[in-house]
Amino acid sequence: MATTTTTSATCGLTSRALLDPKAASSQLRPHFVRLPTLPPPRPTASWSHRKTASHMSRSVIAMATGETPAEVSSELPEVMKTIKDAWDKLDDKYAVASLVLVGLVALWTTTGMISAIDRLPIVPGVLELVGIGYTVWFVYYNLVFEPDREALIEKIKGTYSDIIGSRS
């Protein structure tokens, strides 16, 4: 028994189980704690409640803009009509739809690449410094002095007319 006491003191254990064998059997029994029961779940809102909430939100928008709900809801058909008219004027709808799809995929891809680069530890700071340095260089060489500004404006106008074409 003395060795057990010495061992427990050396290990820093002060459990009664090491000193008293009867206490060890009482500590091995499982103890249960009873938790309070949860209240029953509340019934979900029906569709009529959701419709009412949606109607209330439209009313709040109408009150904020000072328009009646009919005026607010009439803006959506006007936008859709404008989009439909622009779509009907197009000659090559497949090309436009393809370009939109390619643009969305490119946007998604570049967003993924940028977020992956942003997770690297040192690269975002270095790229930020490069961006600040290039901005300072561009402002100094193209915007500070008047002849450089005029040359930049002429270059932008020339590029614009090359892309859009001259309307004469």
Side-chain angles (χ1 to χ4, degrees):
M1 195 59 123
T3 59
T4 307
T5 307
T6 308
T7 306
S8 66
T10 307
C11 295
L13 299 174
T14 58
S15 173
R16 282 186 15 186
L18 294 175
L19 300 175
D20 186 15
K22 293 180 184 177
S25 63
S26 68
Q27 285 184 349
L28 295 178
R29 284 185 285 157
H31 297 288
F32 296 104
V33 176
R34 184 162 181 95
L35 296 175
T37 58
L38 294 173
R42 296 172 58 186
T44 59
S46 66
W47 282 104
S48 63
H49 290 94
R50 291 181 185 160
K51 188 175 182 181
T52 305
S54 172
H55 176 68
M56 286 173 37
S57 68
R58 277 191 238 127
S59 297
V60 170
I61 292 171
M63 284 188 275
T65 60
E67 301 171 346
T68 62
E71 292 173 356
V72 173
S73 63
S74 68
E75 292 176 7
L76 182 62
E78 291 174 13
V79 171
M80 292 303 291
K81 186 178 183 218
T82 306
I83 292 172
K84 186 177 182 300
D85 290 342
W87 181 255
D88 290 338
K89 288 180 185 177
L90 291 175
D91 293 332
D92 196 4
K93 294 178 182 167
Y94 294 114
V96 172
S98 308
L99 286 174
V100 168
L101 182 66
V102 167
L104 290 174
V105 169
L107 181 67
W108 178 68
T109 304
T110 54
T111 302
M113 287 174 36
I114 289 172
S115 66
I117 289 172
D118 195 35
R119 284 188 224 127
L120 298 174
I122 258 179
V123 175
V126 171
L127 290 178
E128 189 173 345
L129 287 175
V130 168
I132 291 170
Y134 180 74
T135 302
V136 168
W137 176 86
F138 181 83
V139 167
Y140 181 75
Y141 284 103
N142 293 312
L143 301 177
V144 172
F145 303 110
E146 188 174 352
D148 295 332
R149 271 194 309 264
E150 291 172 359
L152 179 65
I153 291 171
E154 289 301 319
K155 186 174 182 180
I156 291 172
K157 286 181 180 178
T159 305
Y160 179 78
S161 66
D162 288 344
I163 294 172
I164 301 299
S166 59
R167 297 179 184 173
S168 35

